[in-house]
Amino acid sequence: MRIVVAMSGGVDSSVAAALLAEQGHDVIGLSMQLYDQSEGQTAFGSCCSIDDLHDARRVAAAIDIPHYVLNFERQFDEQVVSNFVREYTAGRTPLPCAHCNSDLKFATLLDRARGFGADAVATGHYARVRPVRLAGDDDAPSGQARRRYVLERAVDPSKDQSYFLFSLTQDQLARAVFPVGDRPKEAVRAYARRRRLPVADKPDSQEICFIPDHDYARFVERHSDNAPREGAIVDESGRVLARHDGIHRFTVGQRKGLGIATQPVVSRGLHAVNSGTPLYVLALRPAERQVVVGPKSSLERTTLTASGVNWLVDEPTGPIRAAAQIRHRHQAAPAAIRSLGKGRAEVAFDAPQIAITPGQAVVFYDGDMVIGGGWIDN
């Protein structure tokens, strides 16, 4: 089978390419140039820099496969960066990796792969995909049975990335290959060392690739058409506690950087004193330019609604039980999930969850299987 591998220059995608080549597949390495690198800046973030493109090419040479660099600057800016800026200025906390995976790697890259005559696209994601026969088709001939593709968590729970892949369509899953999803991270590095891949001990990327200095606020300010404006930090009753330089500098659940550490209370005298209760961001109100803060207990919520919901199983006609995960590093929690139609869903958790954040993804699991997910609205 001819397979295109999205090579980022990291150890995971490099091992993915090496494994497929070793298995006898006709492998082509493709790397994506995602932003302008003509001004001599090589460390744009923590992945996809010009140095990473060179690393990908070195790996391709080491395992003897062809390698090409594709310019996706326009698509990346339109589908990922612009969304990132819009979300922050709207008082939401974006998840650019999920948009990059579905809107770029498994959409645009699939189209390019067809141009190479490839049947599938592989990445270094820690996840698994497998085909299953639909119920009622057990007696159908193998070539005629309908199939659905199931997305599952990786074998290594500490590296699982299925959360970022919830929006993949059945067509995309049918052509997706995740060669490292069935092995722990240390086994991946051990394989890279055994094959003497030049990136065997390269550190993992941790931050958003297009933020050069991890200063999200300054990036948003430079790229926003509507400059973020200052406003008030208020408590739950609406009392002004401090001023801020823009809601894009805050996210729900944040404690540091508020400019006020603990809850002030009015004493019997004329001066406010601190109660000693730590403050957290509870909500962002972009229309009023307000950041609402309060105690940690006020972050607890039991329900949320989501939009842009993608079901990887048949859309349920009534409430279903599943585990819902509200952040990448969050433990999935038992919940009742109800489809509201038109790409919307409501999630009611059995126990309160801390810092449910608009703009992040909520992903639904049945055991290790992803059954759907969407974008948190409120």
Side-chain angles (χ1 to χ4, degrees):
M1 178 186 294
R2 176 168 289 180
I3 302 176
V4 159
V5 181
M7 299 182 69
S8 67
V11 65
D12 299 324
S13 61
S14 297
V15 168
L19 284 168
L20 293 172
E22 187 176 66
Q23 293 164 9
H25 294 287
D26 182 6
V27 178
I28 299 172
L30 297 185
S31 294
M32 299 181 293
Q33 180 171 318
L34 302 179
Y35 29 70
D36 183 11
Q37 305 187 37
S38 62
E39 297 181 0
Q41 185 174 3
T42 60
F44 273 72
S46 53
C47 73
C48 304
S49 70
I50 194 168
D51 288 341
D52 294 314
L53 299 181
H54 289 320
D55 284 342
R57 178 156 292 176
R58 291 168 60 211
V59 170
I63 60 177
D64 195 24
I65 64 169
H67 176 260
Y68 304 91
V69 176
L70 303 181
N71 189 318
F72 280 3
E73 290 179 25
R74 178 182 58 81
Q75 295 93 328
F76 187 71
D77 181 70
E78 292 174 353
Q79 298 168 13
V80 181
V81 176
S82 295
N83 173 269
F84 179 88
V85 173
R86 285 195 307 270
E87 289 285 88
Y88 260 120
T89 55
R92 295 161 63 88
T93 303
L95 190 66
C97 291
H99 286 289
C100 186
N101 287 327
S102 60
D103 300 339
L104 204 62
K105 289 181 180 175
F106 288 99
T108 308
L109 195 56
L110 264 174
D111 289 338
R112 295 294 183 92
R114 293 187 182 100
F116 285 92
D119 305 297
V121 169
T123 71
H125 284 102
Y126 284 83
R128 293 176 292 171
V129 63
R130 61 181 176 87
V132 295
R133 292 178 115 188
L134 295 180
D137 280 359
D138 293 339
D139 298 328
S142 59
Q144 299 177 17
R146 293 178 301 150
R147 284 187 170 188
R148 169 169 280 128
Y149 289 83
V150 173
L151 177 66
E152 295 178 322
R153 290 190 186 275
V155 167
D156 186 343
S158 69
K159 301 302 294 183
D160 176 58
Q161 294 173 303
S162 59
Y163 174 83
F164 296 110
L165 302 169
F166 77 90
S167 59
L168 296 187
T169 66
Q170 281 293 309
D171 182 62
Q172 290 168 344
L173 286 174
R175 292 166 173 79
V177 182
F178 304 120
V180 302
D182 63 353
R183 60 194 67 202
K185 179 72 178 195
E186 282 310 308
V188 170
R189 287 206 181 274
Y191 177 88
R193 294 185 189 108
R194 188 167 64 252
R195 289 293 305 271
R196 297 185 178 180
L197 300 184
V199 296
D201 296 303
K202 185 176 181 178
D204 291 339
S205 60
Q206 299 292 336
E207 300 295 335
I208 296 174
C209 66
F210 55 87
I211 308 295
D213 53 5
H214 311 314
D215 189 341
Y216 302 165
R218 189 171 69 170
F219 183 89
V220 170
E221 290 161 5
R222 288 202 316 266
H223 291 81
S224 176
D225 293 332
N226 301 313
R229 293 176 291 174
E230 67 172 16
I233 299 176
V234 302
D235 64 14
E236 294 174 272
S237 67
R239 182 170 43 145
V240 176
L241 306 180
R243 305 293 296 178
H244 66 76
D245 294 328
I247 61 170
H248 64 293
R249 294 177 173 273
F250 302 90
T251 185
V252 171
Q254 178 179 335
R255 179 181 176 185
K256 297 180 180 180
L258 302 184
I260 180 170
T262 56
Q263 179 74 48
V265 295
V266 177
S267 68
R268 291 185 177 180
L270 298 177
H271 301 287
V273 297
N274 289 333
S275 68
T277 303
L279 291 174
Y280 296 80
V281 175
L282 305 182
L284 301 174
R285 298 172 179 166
E288 296 87 2
R289 305 202 301 276
Q290 289 183 341
V291 176
V292 184
V293 299
K296 188 175 183 179
S297 59
S298 295
L299 279 171
E300 295 183 346
R301 297 286 186 275
T302 56
T303 62
L304 66 82
T305 57
S307 59
V309 174
N310 178 50
W311 292 101
L312 279 72
V313 298
D314 291 332
E315 184 172 348
T317 57
I320 62 171
R321 297 289 302 172
Q325 185 170 329
I326 59 172
R327 284 185 301 279
H328 177 220
R329 295 299 183 187
H330 190 267
Q331 181 68 40
I337 301 167
R338 181 167 63 96
S339 172
L340 302 177
K342 297 182 179 180
R344 295 182 56 78
E346 180 183 68
V347 180
F349 292 96
D350 293 358
Q353 303 298 300
I354 294 291
I356 295 175
T357 307
Q360 293 287 286
V362 56
V363 181
F364 317 138
Y365 289 88
D366 180 0
D368 283 342
M369 181 175 69
V370 178
I371 62 175
W375 300 101
I376 299 173
D377 284 333
N378 54 62

